Amino acid sequence: SRFIVFDRAGQIVSMAQKEHRQIYPQPGWVEHDPIEILHNVNEVTGAALAKAGLNAGDLAAIGITNQRETTVLWDKATGKPVHNALVWMDTRTDALVSSFAKFGGKDRFRAQTGLPLTTYFSGLKLRWLLDQLPEARTRAENGDLLFGTMDSWLIWHLTGGTRGGRHITDVTNASRTQLMNLATCQWDEDILEAFAIPKACLPQIVPSSQIYGEVTTVPLRGTPIAGILGDQQAALVGQTCFVPGEAKNTYGTGSFLLMNTGRKIVPSQAGLLTTVAYQFGDESPCYALEGSIAITGALVQWLRDNLNLIEKSADIEPLAASVEDNGGVYIAPAFSGLYAPYWKDDARGVIVGLTRYANRAHIARAALESAAFQVRDVVEAMQTDSGIELKALRVDGGMVCNNLLMQFQSDMLAAPVVRPRITETT
């Protein structure tokens, strides 16, 4: 969780952040504790304000951006989650995906939602919770359980929680549930019926920018909430990609390349996603093509936490730079399957090319290069779908401070990679 205070010129005044636990109950399953995230948000908010000597009255408004598909189901009466959040990269819905794909294939709902059937999106994660938790379906049908992505969870609590908190989500997050119709920007009744999702538990879909209400809790009491965007759409807006054809790539846990397609919904023929880019106020929504890559920065975390190859993430660059090349080592980090443009849920990670010559530095370099190779695949798919040759790639996210990776990415694309002054545009 991260809280950043910006001035009117867009410069950072203060920032605080805190990692939360990654919970792995079994292979392929990834969970977060929603209560821990809520506490962390309040903690980093207070820390950032204190660091700059500010209080809630000094803020014009706040906006919320979040990992999009991560799914929370909570009790309306108590405000407590009934299960840990199912994270976007969690693959436990693979059997549901296969079941629905038997009739109409993986593109069965693509025309309405812009998305293929895969474990990635929220709708089937919610279906899994409703199926697996005792009495969850009945309680959801009665409106006693509420569903949301992390934006909905936070806003409901910040605006009053059990005392009238607003149950909302914006169009960009809703478009990642596979339950929203792209053309109408409303919940699709036919898909709700197919997935057996009760509408009573769903949040109201709202634009990405308007005044939704005021925070009722410290340390932000009285501050208006004026914006909601899924993290990758937030980066598109932060990189000012407002003209059709403009694109950005974010290097985070995964990597996400989005290209603005304007008011036009562009169906993908090359394995990409069609999604909502943003909707400002009462204006018509703008759309985007997206190439989603599950694992890039998470591979560095895996080398750090699971293999103890490095002590901290920043150590990856000097280690990788200590050798001239990857020594013939290549990594396909399909920890959660392969996302765009392949969409293979059953793929799993491999390290190939190992010889006695290879050492930890070659593995580190291969890890960085794997990010660039995956991004190149998505760029090529994006150019096929859009018919637009990418003149330059705007980049952001935690990995863009890695000069070795950025240069290798530029080499792979044969195009400039443009890094902004403020890299955390999500």
Side-chain angles (χ1 to χ4, degrees), residues 14 28 34 36 41 47 57 60 90 106 118 123 132 150 166 183 186 194 200 207 212 305 388 397:
S14 183
E36 179 187 7
V41 166
D90 185 285
K106 285 203 168 186
T118 174
Q132 298 299 320
M150 201 55 68
R166 291 210 65 191
Q186 298 298 321
Y212 310 109
D305 300 337
I388 300 171

Side-chain angles (χ1 to χ4, degrees), residues 217-260:
T217 58
V218 293
L220 293 173
R221 183 176 287 128
T223 306
I225 302 175
I228 312 169
L229 281 167
D231 54 359
Q232 303 312 318
Q233 283 88 341
L236 191 75
V237 171
Q239 292 271 29
T240 66
C241 296
F242 297 128
V243 176
E246 291 184 336
K248 68 86 204 175
N249 189 55
T250 298
Y251 298 79
T253 305
S255 286
F256 304 86
L257 179 64
L258 272 74
M259 176 183 283
N260 190 327

Side-chain angles (χ1 to χ4, degrees), residues 2 4 70 170 173 192 198 203 233 248 283 297-298 306 318 343 345 352 355-356 359 370 377 396 423:
R2 179 183 295 117
I4 307 177
T70 298
D170 93 299
N173 283 293
L192 295 183
Q233 283 88 341
K248 68 86 204 175
E283 296 178 10
N306 292 50
W343 299 108
D345 292 330
V352 298
T355 64
R356 285 294 297 271
N359 59 38
S370 74
D377 287 349
D396 57 78
T423 59

